[in-house]
Amino acid sequence: MKQTVKDTLEELKQFMSGKTIDTIIPPIIYVIGNNLFGLKIGVILALSVAFIFALLRLLKKENILYALGGIGGVALASGFALIADNAANYFLPKIIGSGALFLISTLSILVGKPLAAILSHVSRGWSFDWFLRKDIKPAYREVTIVWAILFLVRMLLQLFLYNRGNLTELGWASILLGFPATLTVLVLTLIYGGWRLRMLGGPSIEEFQEGKNPPWEGQKKGF
């Protein structure tokens, strides 16, 4: 149990690592600016904040992709709002993104290559053949099913608030369903995924790569 908690905390540290504020602050500034001064000023303020964050990242010599990603996300959202002259359209990219993630998750389950397994393979570099084992894949499939449901719920809730046209409600929902929800899902994924792998009784990635025969110790760290 202690090892599980320690591993989860390490994963969360990597996930947070100062790269979340870029997604939280600009929408808040946008909503406040729009409510007080109108759409164009709200867009200008949000973009200004995104540029400041990007500049700080460059000065700290952090990965330039995070800087460009922050500006790009705010610019895309601002473009949606300005083109339609509709403040609520600022949040359309997130709604579309939730729908796309739902479709990708569902498709990955149907083709037998769960999204959770693909992402873990890409981020950790573990052999993808290990993820497809019958005593490993169910854990990643079940996690991906939960992800798909959550993406669908998030999209439907955002669509409901978008149709209501209340920018403040939509803004707060977008923020709460963003980083806080993602963090919660990550914690639950790591805890459940690790437990499920142990219950399935398959080999750890190291044991799989070394070709060891059962009984296996199983995956004890990482998911």
Side-chain angles (χ1 to χ4, degrees):
M1 182 64 181
K2 289 183 178 180
Q3 184 62 44
T4 300
V5 173
K6 181 180 179 182
D7 293 342
T8 301
L9 290 175
E10 289 179 358
E11 296 281 354
L12 292 179
K13 184 178 179 181
Q14 288 184 352
F15 171 72
M16 296 177 73
S17 64
K19 301 179 179 65
T20 56
I21 194 171
D22 303 47
T23 62
I24 296 176
I25 301 301
I28 295 176
I29 297 298
Y30 170 76
V31 171
I32 294 174
N34 179 80
N35 286 342
L36 293 177
F37 309 110
L39 174 59
K40 291 183 179 180
I41 298 299
V43 165
I44 291 172
L45 291 175
L47 284 171
S48 298
V49 170
F51 272 108
I52 291 173
F53 284 140
L55 180 60
L56 290 175
R57 292 199 181 283
L58 291 175
L59 291 175
K60 290 169 39 174
K61 297 182 179 179
E62 295 181 358
N63 193 325
I64 192 172
L65 291 178
Y66 291 116
L68 296 177
I71 294 175
V74 175
L76 178 64
S78 299
F80 269 76
L82 288 173
I83 291 173
D85 194 25
N86 182 348
N89 278 16
Y90 182 91
F91 298 98
L92 269 182
K94 289 189 176 182
I95 297 174
I96 295 172
S98 295
L101 288 171
F102 165 70
L103 291 176
I104 292 171
S105 298
T106 302
L107 181 61
S108 73
I109 295 168
L110 293 176
V111 301
K113 296 181 180 180
L115 180 61
I118 295 173
L119 293 179
S120 185
H121 164 66
V122 172
S123 63
R124 300 180 185 279
W126 296 345
S127 171
F128 198 63
D129 289 338
W130 177 77
F131 290 99
L132 299 181
R133 288 178 58 95
K134 292 182 178 180
D135 48 11
I136 298 294
K137 187 167 75 171
Y140 290 90
R141 181 175 62 243
E142 291 159 15
V143 165
T144 303
I145 290 173
V146 173
W147 286 4
I149 294 171
L150 291 173
F151 290 141
L152 177 61
V153 171
R154 184 168 70 179
M155 180 191 69
L156 293 177
L157 179 57
Q158 289 173 319
L159 274 175
F160 170 74
L161 294 174
Y162 174 79
N163 289 328
R164 278 170 59 93
N166 189 312
L167 185 64
T168 302
E169 288 181 353
L170 185 57
W172 281 112
S174 178
I175 293 167
L176 293 175
L177 292 172
F179 171 68
T182 301
L183 182 62
T184 301
V185 170
L186 176 61
V187 171
L188 295 178
T189 292
L190 294 172
I191 294 174
Y192 175 80
W195 171 82
R196 190 69 173 101
L197 285 177
R198 290 192 293 274
M199 292 301 99
L200 288 168
S204 67
I205 183 62
E206 290 82 6
E207 291 171 323
F208 172 76
Q209 291 174 333
E210 294 171 5
K212 291 186 177 180
N213 296 317
W216 298 297
E217 293 184 9
Q219 188 70 11
K220 293 184 177 180
K221 182 176 182 180
F223 176 71

